[in-house]
Every structure is written in C-alpha cells, then in structure tokens.
Amino acid sequence: MSGPEEGRDPQSVGRFDVPQQVPAPDAEPARRNGHRPAAQAPPTPTEPPASITPPAPSAPPASTPTPTSTPADEVDAGLPGGTEPAVSDRPGDHWDRKVANGLAFLRRRLSGDYEVDEFGFDSELTDAVFHPLLRLLYRDWFRTEVSGVEHVPVDGPALVVGNHSGTVALDALILSAALHDKHPAHRYLRLLGADLVFRMPVVSELARKTGGTVACNPDAERLLGGGDLVGVFPEGFKGIGKLYADRYKLQRFGRGGFVSAALRTGTPIVPVAIVGGEEIYPMLADIKPLARLLKLPYFPVTPTFPLLGPLGMVPLPSKWLIEFCPPIPTAHLTDSADDPLVVFNLADQVRETIQQTLHTLLERRPDPFGP
C-alpha cells in the first residue's frame, strides 16, 4: 500500500527505523531521569547533536525497540542503576557537624566516658557548656577588651592575682573564660574560692566541674606543683561586697596566704586588673540583719534588686577592661616563705601594682557603659 494503514497515525510509520539515542547530559530532567513504561512508545527522535555518533546503518526490526544500557553520567549522578546519591552532601556543613558533635557529647556524658582530675575538673564540660555561655557575656554583653596576655606563661605554673568586685563574683568566671580564649596556649585558670561557695549544693558542683577548689594553701600548692595556672582574689567577700561608693578601691589582702603558696613553689605572680565589674550590680546598701538571718556575708540592695525580683539579677552591660601585668618572680625567695615581713612586702607590691593599673584603665574608659 502506498498510504498509511487504516487506524494508524501517519507519523507513527517508521518510528523505530532509527535506534533510540542516549540523551545528552544537559537534557531536561523528565527525559534524563525518568523511565518510560515499556508499553508506551518513545517520542519521535530529533536530529542528534553533532557530538553524538550517528546510528549504525543496520537497524533492529521495527516491532522490537533496542534496549539501551545505563549511561555513565547516569551512574555518576546517582540515578536509578547508579551507586552514588543523587545530590551529594555539601562538605563541611556547619549544622550537621554541630548536631553530630552534640549527640556524641551526650552519648559520652550518659555513658560516663569522660575524665575528671583529682579536684573534679571536667575540661570537656567546661569547653562545651560553660565557656560558650561565658563567651556570650564577656564578648557580646560586656564588650571586654583583654591586654597583656603575653605576660601569662605559655606553660608551667603561675599565680594570677586579681581585684574582686561586682556583688556577684562574675569577674572570676569572666577572667577564666577570657584568659582561655585569648591565651595562645588556651590555658585553663584554676580558681580558688571561699568555703561558702563549696557549701552550696549546686554552686559547689559547678565550681568543681569548672576547675575551682577551696582557697587554701595545700590545694593551691598542689595545683602549682602540677604546673597549672591558679587564680586567686585576696580581697574575698570584702571586695565583692563593698558599696558602689568605694568602687575600685582595693580592700586588704588578708594575711598573704597566696604569697606563701607562690614562694614555696617558686611560682611567678601575675597581677591582673579588672575594670567593669563594679557597675554590673551597683551595691547601694547592705541589709546586715537579713544577711545574718540567711547566713550570708552581705545582702545587697542595687538599683534593680530586690525591687525587680529575678529580673534584678540581670547584670548591667558595663564596658570591661582586663589587663595582665608583668609577672613578679619569686624563685629567689623560696627560703623566705615563712618570713612574715617578706610575705607582707610582696603582697603589698602586688596590691599596689593592681591599684595603679586600675587607675590607668579607668582613664582609658571614661564612660562605664560606653562602646
């Protein structure tokens, strides 16, 4: 017959005279990724691109379509028949790493697969939980500037002695986190705290986990003998419990016990001055009868506490400056650890160094809440 058969599409004649071509890599997704049912006839092939080899002269029978093999680019793209995922993960996905690290951390904590030292210091918990929280405070809320960190030894023991203030002892925590972040060796500061800190149920456990211990000479000497950085605030509660009118006026440094610990171990003393802690909770008055009733060293009255209740515990965003002073060597005075005159003179030297540095920092920071 010269014409098309009855009931058939004229354009369907000779449809399989040309073998099916492998789609180009830039073909539309519907043709490249999809699989047509066997019963459905493929569309009429178009003119093959110049980069594809023309079909061989011999064609298969019109009634049987030629099966095609899985293209190599289909395997690489992870399509049906391939071995790789269709969309590869982007390398270094930040949130994937954070979730994976968080789950691994929880698994270690629940299984007890972590280490603490003889004082209860948990470096992993400190790095994963406490330091990130403190980092938000000292970097973003208090806008802390740290200088003189090169005076802190890269290794070996040192006794870091600072001024105390602020009604709540945030200055000790801020100092430890800032020193860890700014120091080239990222050293931990082992804080010495008062007995009251370690008599409080929750606070005691947190203090131990972050590296704190009781402020006594035996513990200080053991830490220094092990090559640690030890932080001490000789003013104690007299420093953090003073009124705002007495801000940045150093109180008496006790009996100089920290000096004795440094002398016995030959450890250098690094004075540090902290400006900014006095303004976070300006103490206007001290209700002594209430403090005695609650067995506290003082009961503060600030512009926001107790007037605003729990909201009064939010620290005011003062500008902080922390400066580490040049170390004071003690190795040549190890034989004078029990000499009261030597201990007093050295303690007075440390106190005077911190006081003069505070005056210098206050001149650099005329506005307590400035940028």
Side-chain angles (χ1 to χ4, degrees):
M1 295 176 62
S2 60
E5 297 180 5
E6 183 178 0
R8 294 182 59 187
D9 185 358
Q11 297 182 0
S12 63
V13 178
R15 176 174 295 174
F16 298 106
D17 292 343
V18 180
Q20 184 179 0
Q21 302 298 321
V22 177
D26 58 348
E28 63 275 13
R31 292 190 58 190
R32 186 166 183 260
N33 297 341
H35 290 270
R36 303 179 185 278
Q40 180 181 355
T44 304
T46 58
E47 183 69 20
S51 59
I52 298 179
T53 305
S58 60
S63 60
T64 305
T66 303
T68 58
S69 60
T70 304
D73 61 343
E74 194 169 301
V75 174
D76 294 338
L79 302 174
T83 58
E84 298 295 331
V87 179
S88 60
D89 292 336
R90 290 176 295 179
D93 191 335
H94 176 68
W95 288 107
D96 284 351
R97 290 198 307 270
K98 288 180 72 70
V99 171
N101 292 338
L103 293 177
F105 172 76
L106 290 177
R107 183 169 57 252
R108 289 193 301 272
R109 305 309 298 188
L110 294 176
S111 63
D113 186 17
Y114 58 91
E115 297 180 358
V116 297
D117 67 3
E118 57 180 324
F119 295 93
F121 175 48
D122 190 337
S123 60
E124 183 186 46
L125 187 65
T126 300
D127 289 337
V129 178
F130 297 114
H131 277 176
L133 295 176
L134 293 172
R135 192 171 295 122
L136 293 176
L137 275 179
Y138 89 76
R139 185 182 60 189
D140 301 327
W141 188 250
F142 295 137
R143 308 171 307 284
T144 306
E145 296 180 10
V146 182
S147 59
V149 73
E150 66 275 5
H151 297 310
V152 180
V154 176
D155 54 17
L159 186 64
V160 180
V161 183
N163 59 298
H164 223 9
S165 62
T167 306
V168 177
L170 277 181
D171 51 2
L173 303 177
I174 296 297
L175 177 65
S176 64
L179 175 59
H180 178 268
D181 289 351
K182 301 297 182 180
H183 195 276
H186 300 292
R187 302 194 66 182
Y188 297 102
L189 184 64
R190 308 299 296 273
L191 297 171
L192 303 181
D195 295 343
L196 176 63
V197 174
F198 296 94
R199 290 200 302 264
M200 303 172 68
V202 177
V203 176
S204 173
E205 185 68 17
L206 294 179
R208 291 286 186 187
K209 291 292 187 182
T210 55
T213 188
V214 180
C216 63
N217 276 21
D219 281 2
E221 292 174 16
R222 286 168 61 193
L223 287 170
L224 293 173
D228 288 309
L229 285 180
V230 178
V232 62
F233 298 85
E235 294 177 280
F237 288 119
K238 298 188 301 294
I240 59 176
K242 62 179 177 289
L243 298 178
Y244 186 67
D246 299 325
R247 60 192 179 278
Y248 301 116
K249 296 178 181 178
L250 293 185
Q251 306 300 300
R252 191 172 66 89
F253 269 18
R255 300 177 181 177
F258 70 96
V259 174
S260 299
L263 291 176
R264 287 192 177 92
T265 56
T267 301
I269 299 175
V270 181
V272 58
I274 305 172
V275 165
E278 298 279 15
E279 292 86 13
I280 59 173
Y281 302 112
M283 187 168 169
L284 306 178
D286 178 13
I287 307 178
K288 296 184 182 299
L290 190 55
R292 286 194 296 268
L293 179 64
L294 298 175
K295 297 181 179 181
L296 298 174
Y298 54 87
F299 189 89
V301 176
T302 72
T304 58
F305 182 84
L307 180 63
L308 299 182
L311 289 177
M313 296 302 296
V314 177
L316 299 179
S318 59
K319 171 70 175 180
W320 283 48
L321 301 176
I322 299 177
E323 182 170 340
F324 295 91
C325 305
I328 301 174
T330 65
H332 63 291
L333 299 172
T334 53
D335 297 334
S336 305
D338 296 324
D339 188 338
L341 184 59
V342 174
V343 171
F344 176 80
N345 288 337
L346 191 54
D348 191 62
Q349 179 184 355
V350 175
R351 182 181 182 277
E352 191 63 26
T353 301
I354 297 175
Q355 185 67 78
Q356 293 301 323
T357 307
L358 287 175
H359 292 325
T360 304
L361 294 179
L362 288 172
E363 292 177 359
R364 286 173 46 193
R365 191 209 65 164
D367 183 4
F369 299 97

